[in-house]
Amino acid sequence: MNKLIKNKLFGPVIIFFIIINALCLSFSTWLDEKNINHSVLLAANFILFIITLTACYIYAKSLASDNAHAFVRSVMMVSFIKLMAIAISVFIYLIAAGENRSLYAVAGGMLLYIVYTVLEVSGAMKVNRLRNVKN
């Protein structure tokens, strides 16, 4: 994996993770006052960050393959795995939190899911386009 691929795939994801963590920690009291549990947002951000980094690694490996369909399969597989991991995480949180749950934080986590998915797919498409130009 060369440096250009790392920058295009991993760079935006890492920057977004840092920005969201900084915002959650900076506005933690304001979020808690609005019934948005900042700890839940931080946990969702961390889970999505780890899954997205794994997805980017899988994309980079699939781009190295000569099979043209490997990239499409990897995008579909990672999207499904990510969706299932988030669904299971939300289910576990809702059961564990009981009456003290923060549905706004869950909605915020879903918004983070959408942003992370857009970042990873757009990065993968950029890298795929660069690879096609070189070939």
Side-chain angles (χ1 to χ4, degrees):
M1 220 179 329
N2 65 22
K3 190 172 182 172
L4 180 64
I5 291 175
K6 287 180 183 178
N7 289 341
K8 293 284 185 188
L9 278 175
F10 297 109
V13 173
I14 293 170
I15 291 170
F16 183 72
F17 174 74
I18 292 169
I19 289 171
I20 293 300
N21 278 344
L23 289 174
C24 283
L25 293 174
S26 297
F27 295 107
S28 62
T29 55
W30 181 81
L31 288 169
D32 290 339
E33 288 172 1
K34 300 293 182 188
N35 198 20
I36 303 171
N37 190 337
H38 75 282
S39 299
V40 173
L41 281 177
L42 287 170
N45 191 36
F46 180 72
I47 291 169
L48 286 166
F49 176 69
I50 296 300
I51 293 172
T52 303
L53 284 183
T54 305
C56 290
Y57 179 75
I58 291 171
Y59 294 155
K61 288 295 182 185
S62 70
L63 287 172
S65 172
D66 290 335
N67 186 351
H69 301 288
F71 177 70
V72 175
R73 280 195 310 265
S74 69
V75 169
M76 297 301 290
M77 177 191 66
V78 167
S79 295
F80 178 74
I81 290 171
K82 184 190 285 189
L83 184 62
M84 295 311 297
I86 294 305
I88 291 168
S89 298
V90 168
F91 181 73
I92 290 170
Y93 168 71
L94 292 176
I95 297 297
E99 292 297 318
N100 296 331
R101 61 183 170 229
S102 173
L103 295 179
Y104 295 123
V106 172
M110 292 300 160
L111 181 64
L112 289 175
Y113 167 80
I114 292 169
V115 174
Y116 272 110
T117 301
V118 167
L119 286 174
E120 80 181 38
V121 172
S122 66
M125 297 305 281
K126 287 177 189 174
V127 170
N128 191 30
R129 234 179 283 129
L130 288 173
R131 184 186 77 146
N132 289 338
V133 168
K134 288 181 182 178
N135 293 336

